[in-house]
Amino acid sequence: MLAPGQTIGILGGGQLGRMMALAAARLGLKCHIYCPDAASPAFEVAATHTIAAYDDEAALARFADSVDVVTYEFENVPGETAAFLEARRPVRPGPKALAVSQDRLVEKRFIADLGIAVAPFAEVTGEATLESALARFKGRGVLKTRRFGYDGKGQVMLRSANDVVGALARIANAPAILEGLVDFEREVSIIVARGLDGTVEAFDLAWNTHAHHILDRTRVPAGVSPETEAEARRIGETIAAALDYVGVLAVELFLVRDGAGEHLVVNEIAPRVHNSGHWTEDACLVSQFEQHVRAVAGWPLGEPTRLADVEMENLVGADADRWAEIAAEPGARLHLYGKAESRPGRKMGHVNRLKLG
Ligand code: AMP
């Protein structure tokens, strides 16, 4: 167990690393952020930082020597980087979580093998496999690259077999999967944390809506039945246990409603703190960031009890220009990431609006 004064090494210096470092500081733990980008938002709130490439072994070795445990704020940490660090310090979550979540095909098979529903999927290696998968899914589906997709990037919606060549060109013929379309009522996510001792704690289920493929709002409670809420927890716990996971894990799900009631279908998992968990910073006894810090530091997990209904709004691009107005709003808790440059589509901050009383 890390004692106050010891250091967590974080790969990645974005807003997620920044909020982790802030949570760690509150518990008297130090953070050392490792990121190739000199303008990383996490640097200004952490004890130490390193600006170096993820394949710079000399820099990685110095980083490992200076920390007590390593974690990360993005799932595309190169496998070699994780293995290099793993030989020197514990890396939490471990290599299995990274390997599974970096490849959509591996991830889908892994989750389906646990007996958990996922969207129908097929491996795509070229025109022939895409055509036959499309035929299976009645001519409609989402083509997704196996690796490096996020916020709708690396995805093409297909509505007819005529689009096959164009769709493959749009993903540069990268290895991919085709998913059948899920006719969902809403998108929800569950954030769970698993401690070093295997204890699992889950936050309440959250309801997410998107704008331009980027998370726009998260509302909690999610407006689903208690059975669905319990089922989401069970799914999160099952996946975390199967990955021998330590830390916070996000599971994005589709809520499907049919004659038989509500069902959950897993869309994807993220082996890290997640944008759809930002509401926990102000609405719960412990935030997802503190929970992650506790887990990777080997501390007991906190109680994820929710104290109020809440709506999180992402401040993307020029949205953050409204900061002064939001700062004056009763019940609003403003979070800004300190990014020098605003660009369309760039996450600049978020606001949690608590429904008090
Ligand atoms: P993803 O990057 O996989 O989270 O996908 C981005 C968005 O595309 C999701 O949030 C959904 O709104 C939509 N989407 C992805 N996969 C499917 C699917 N199989 N069926 C219907 N909509 C999907």
Side-chain angles (χ1 to χ4, degrees):
M1 192 188 294
L2 266 64
Q6 287 193 284
T7 303
I8 299 174
I10 302 176
L11 298 171
Q15 64 268 16
L16 301 178
R18 176 183 172 102
M19 289 184 274
M20 265 186 224
L22 289 169
R26 217 187 100 239
L27 300 177
L29 292 160
K30 296 189 192 309
C31 286
H32 181 161
I33 311 284
Y34 189 111
C35 189
D37 183 354
S40 292
F43 288 171
E44 63 192 27
V45 301
T48 319
H49 67 259
T50 295
I51 304 168
Y54 291 118
D55 61 359
D56 180 339
E57 293 198 346
L60 286 172
R62 280 195 301 275
F63 171 70
D65 283 347
S66 76
V67 304
D68 299 288
V69 64
V70 175
T71 188
Y72 41 89
E73 56 127 48
F74 69 114
E75 58 271 47
N76 289 318
V77 173
E80 303 79 37
T81 306
F84 184 88
L85 293 169
E86 182 84 43
R88 290 162 174 80
R89 288 289 183 272
V91 176
R92 298 175 184 149
K96 189 166 183 195
L98 275 179
V100 167
S101 60
Q102 284 181 353
D103 184 327
R104 286 187 192 273
L105 181 62
V106 175
E107 179 178 306
K108 283 261 164 6
R109 286 181 176 150
F110 178 80
I111 295 168
D113 286 349
L114 295 171
I116 296 168
V118 294
F121 66 98
E123 182 175 3
V124 171
T125 51
E127 275 176 52
T129 43
L130 180 52
E131 269 164 14
S132 66
L134 208 51
R136 245 174 78 200
F137 302 148
K138 303 194 171 57
R140 296 165 68 221
V142 195
L143 182 67
K144 300 183 179 181
T145 55
R146 284 175 61 170
R147 299 173 74 85
F148 303 120
Y150 70 99
D151 286 349
K153 294 189 173 67
Q155 294 194 13
V156 186
M157 186 72 81
L158 275 157
R159 297 184 193 282
S160 96
N162 302 333
D163 305 338
V164 161
V165 175
L168 287 170
R170 279 176 65 188
I171 60 161
N173 294 295
I177 61 169
L178 184 74
E179 281 184 26
L181 287 188
V182 177
D183 187 13
F184 59 84
E185 183 199 275
R186 58 182 70 181
E187 293 184 71
V188 293
S189 59
I190 186 103
I191 311 282
V192 300
R194 189 163 179 275
L196 207 49
D197 63 356
T199 312
V200 180
E201 295 283 0
F203 290 98
D204 286 352
L205 190 69
W207 168 24
N208 302 313
T209 50
H210 299 82
H212 313 293
H213 303 289
I214 299 172
L215 182 65
D216 177 34
R217 284 172 200 257
T218 300
R219 295 174 180 88
V220 191
V224 304
S225 68
E227 293 74 25
T228 298
E229 185 98 27
E231 174 65 1
R233 281 167 196 255
R234 195 192 62 77
I235 289 172
E237 286 175 20
T238 304
I239 295 172
L243 290 172
D244 198 18
Y245 200 85
V246 177
V248 160
L249 169 79
V251 184
E252 295 182 42
L253 305 132
F254 298 125
L255 178 78
V256 178
R257 194 180 298 278
D258 60 21
E262 294 176 356
H263 310 279
L264 291 170
V265 175
V266 171
N267 175 22
E268 62 182 353
I269 62 172
R272 54 172 169 80
V273 290
H274 194 257
N275 196 167
S276 71
H278 290 0
W279 61 275
T280 62
E281 286 180 302
D282 300 305
C284 295
L285 276 177
V286 62
S287 74
Q288 63 164 346
F289 301 102
E290 179 177 335
Q291 200 70 304
H292 185 74
V293 164
R294 282 170 172 258
V296 302
W299 285 30
L301 296 179
E303 248 186 85
T305 310
R306 182 169 55 83
L307 305 170
D309 291 2
V310 58
E311 181 172 320
M312 191 275 321
E313 179 192 353
N314 256 352
L315 302 175
V316 178
D319 294 346
D321 297 347
R322 289 189 276 117
W323 61 268
E325 191 188 311
I326 297 166
E329 230 184 89
R333 298 269 294 161
L334 177 64
H335 301 256
L336 294 172
Y337 307 149
K339 294 183 183 176
E341 198 192 331
S342 169
R343 286 193 296 270
R346 191 168 200 210
K347 292 175 180 170
M348 302 299 291
H350 63 276
V351 52
N352 288 327
R353 296 189 171 90
L354 302 184
K355 312 220 166 45
L356 301 168

